Amino acid sequence: MVPLRRRSRPARIRLRLAFILRLAFIFAAISCVLYYAVTSHENVSNIASSTDCHSLALLDDGDGQVEVKDQTTRLRLEAERRWLAQNGYLYMQHSRKAGGTTLCMLLRHNSKGLVRTQATGWDAEKRRETCQIISLCSDCNYKTRNWYSAEKLPSILVEAMNNSGRNFIEMEGAGVPIDLLTNPGWDSFVFVSSIRHPIERIASALRANHKYHRNPDCPVGQLNCTKSYIQERHILEACSRGIYSCLSNYFVRMFSGRDTNVPSPSRVMLEEAKANFLRFSCVVLQEQWDETVGCLGILGMHLNVKGRFNVVGRMSAPLAPGNQKSNESYIEGFSSAEMGVLLRLNELDMEFYEWAKGFILRSTALRSRSVT
């Protein structure tokens, strides 16, 4: 009988590591499934095929290695790898009246770390709390500019950032790139944004419009003068003027990349918005800001750790002048009839928000457990 040949020590170590990696993956997958089962009403059999849980997007190939099976996840992870190696760029999609300015301030506070900038990198006055490159596009719908080309937009933004001495940009006034998942030019970009309850966002936007463009006969802080917008005709007119002032399915329009080109958003746009959302590395939930802003840690930003990346301070950035960020609800100011109009015209946005909120909170819980 031929004696069995004893494996070499390096081979035994590799086998043990592979076994440990497989056990770790199985544990993570089971934890994810159990978390879904107890926090939602989804059927567990449907959860395993979901891309919501990042752990389930990594499948063991049988040799102790992990392979990303989902193409969107693959693109996101590769972009994050480039960013952490300081070979990539960051695209911040500004959600109006949903914490966009505060998110921008977090990026500016990281400007001496992973977010590179030169002393002369800002072409906006110091008092203006913005991360936009003003000379390129200021609060504008860049998709209407004569220099716009969907195919060439990534290289246009890279050139603008390089000329400004930084590697991140904030875009406001238009939705995400229409070819976010198909244009190879976006492969070197990580994406961040924020969302908020759609009706709360509308109420805040109406208050802001009243504050900055108010009728002198209207007392500051009252919605009476702006409630005339809460009519189907006025809301659709506002949306036709641009994504910035849109009060109808704002998030679906923005994340689908179709903006105001479609008078009445469809469920096709809703699914496009969800697909693009999964390409984002970090989307902060306005209502639970301090809890969910930790997703910036994926990109190496840890504002709650003193000295990390030359940043001193808390995770929550200082408020912009005149800004009052709070969890105060504005919805109480609407009558039942006004709420009915807003909910009817934002049905897709409400569905998108609840779906995205669930994704964000599940990801936050998984990150918290992994750190623990």
Side-chain angles (χ1 to χ4, degrees):
M1 181 176 178
V2 179
L4 293 176
R5 183 178 178 181
R6 182 178 176 83
R7 294 179 183 272
S8 65
R9 181 179 176 81
R12 292 199 303 274
I13 293 175
R14 285 196 297 271
L15 284 173
R16 289 172 183 169
L17 287 176
F19 178 72
I20 292 172
L21 283 172
R22 279 193 287 271
L23 282 179
F25 169 78
I26 293 171
F27 176 78
I30 291 175
S31 298
C32 182
V33 171
L34 289 176
Y35 181 77
Y36 272 94
V38 300
T39 57
S40 72
H41 299 291
E42 296 180 57
N43 187 289
V44 175
S45 64
N46 294 330
I47 293 170
S49 62
S50 171
T51 58
D52 284 4
C53 179
H54 292 179
S55 297
L56 293 182
L58 302 175
L59 301 180
D60 193 343
D61 67 359
D63 191 29
Q65 304 294 318
V66 291
E67 180 183 357
V68 180
K69 301 294 186 180
D70 177 71
Q71 177 64 12
T72 301
T73 304
R74 187 191 305 275
L75 291 172
R76 178 178 57 78
L77 292 176
E78 176 59 23
E80 291 168 3
R81 185 192 66 78
R82 293 185 183 185
W83 169 261
L84 291 171
Q86 295 212 4
N87 292 323
Y89 299 89
L90 185 148
Y91 183 116
M92 175 194 154
Q93 180 66 51
H94 185 117
S95 296
R96 188 189 182 215
K97 307 310 296 179
T101 300
T102 304
L103 183 59
C104 160
M105 290 303 297
L106 293 179
L107 300 181
R108 291 186 70 154
H109 276 235
N110 274 278
S111 62
K112 295 182 180 178
L114 287 182
V115 183
R116 300 190 305 269
T117 183
Q118 300 170 356
T120 59
W122 302 101
D123 58 352
E125 60 272 22
K126 290 183 179 180
R127 65 177 178 82
R128 183 165 185 185
E129 312 296 344
T130 182
C131 297
Q132 301 177 62
I133 297 180
I134 305 299
S135 57
L136 175 71
C137 195
S138 176
D139 294 347
C140 72
N141 183 353
Y142 63 85
K143 296 175 183 177
T144 63
R145 293 301 175 97
N146 55 11
W147 49 260
Y148 171 70
S149 162
E151 181 182 0
K152 298 179 181 178
L153 183 61
S155 59
I156 292 173
L157 298 187
V158 166
E159 181 180 5
M161 286 184 279
N162 289 340
N163 291 340
S164 296
R166 53 190 171 107
N167 60 353
F168 68 105
I169 190 170
E170 169 194 3
M171 302 301 285
E172 182 176 2
V176 305
I178 190 66
D179 55 0
L180 174 58
L181 301 180
T182 57
N183 187 341
W186 298 117
D187 290 357
S188 60
F189 282 75
V190 293
F191 292 82
V192 300
S193 190
S194 58
I195 63 170
R196 183 183 190 178
H197 188 285
I199 310 304
E200 293 280 6
R201 191 203 72 81
I202 290 173
S204 181
L206 290 174
R207 287 175 180 267
N209 289 341
H210 173 60
K211 176 180 178 181
Y212 297 112
H213 311 288
R214 63 178 180 270
N215 184 321
D217 297 328
C218 296
V220 176
Q222 292 188 7
L223 281 173
N224 294 336
C225 294
T226 56
K227 282 190 174 181
S228 60
Y229 282 99
I230 308 178
Q231 298 175 19
E232 184 168 357
R233 177 175 59 84
H234 287 161
I235 287 178
L236 295 180
E237 284 177 356
C239 289
S240 68
R241 290 194 294 270
I243 196 71
Y244 187 86
S245 58
C246 185
L247 304 176
S248 165
N249 293 309
Y250 171 84
F251 288 119
V252 168
R253 293 174 184 272
M254 186 180 72
F255 277 91
S256 69
R258 297 187 180 275
D259 302 3
T260 56
N261 296 331
V262 181
S264 299
S266 64
R267 298 200 67 83
V268 172
M269 285 178 62
L270 172 62
E271 296 307 316
E272 291 173 341
K274 290 181 178 180
N276 287 334
F277 178 94
L278 294 175
R279 178 63 172 81
F280 278 67
S281 298
C282 176
V283 179
V284 187
L285 184 63
Q286 165 83 5
E287 291 83 358
Q288 295 174 254
W289 188 272
D290 289 336
E291 178 184 352
T292 59
V293 77
C295 61
L296 288 177
I298 296 172
L299 303 177
M301 302 179 198
H302 302 278
L303 294 182
N304 59 338
V305 180
K306 184 176 181 179
R308 183 74 63 87
F309 301 120
N310 299 314
V311 175
V312 178
R314 298 169 299 154
M315 186 69 85
S316 298
L319 300 178
N323 241 0
Q324 294 186 358
K325 173 180 166 291
S326 72
N327 291 325
E328 176 189 0
S329 175
Y330 292 151
I331 290 181
E332 285 78 358
F334 295 135
S335 68
S336 59
E338 291 164 344
M339 279 295 294
V341 172
L342 294 175
L343 288 172
R344 185 174 71 254
L345 291 178
N346 288 277
E347 180 180 355
L348 295 178
D349 242 22
M350 289 299 301
E351 184 174 338
F352 174 81
Y353 170 78
E354 293 298 336
W355 173 85
K357 177 182 177 181
F359 180 96
I360 293 170
L361 293 180
R362 288 191 292 266
S363 299
T364 300
L366 287 171
R367 278 197 309 275
S368 177
R369 279 212 307 277
S370 66
V371 169
T372 302

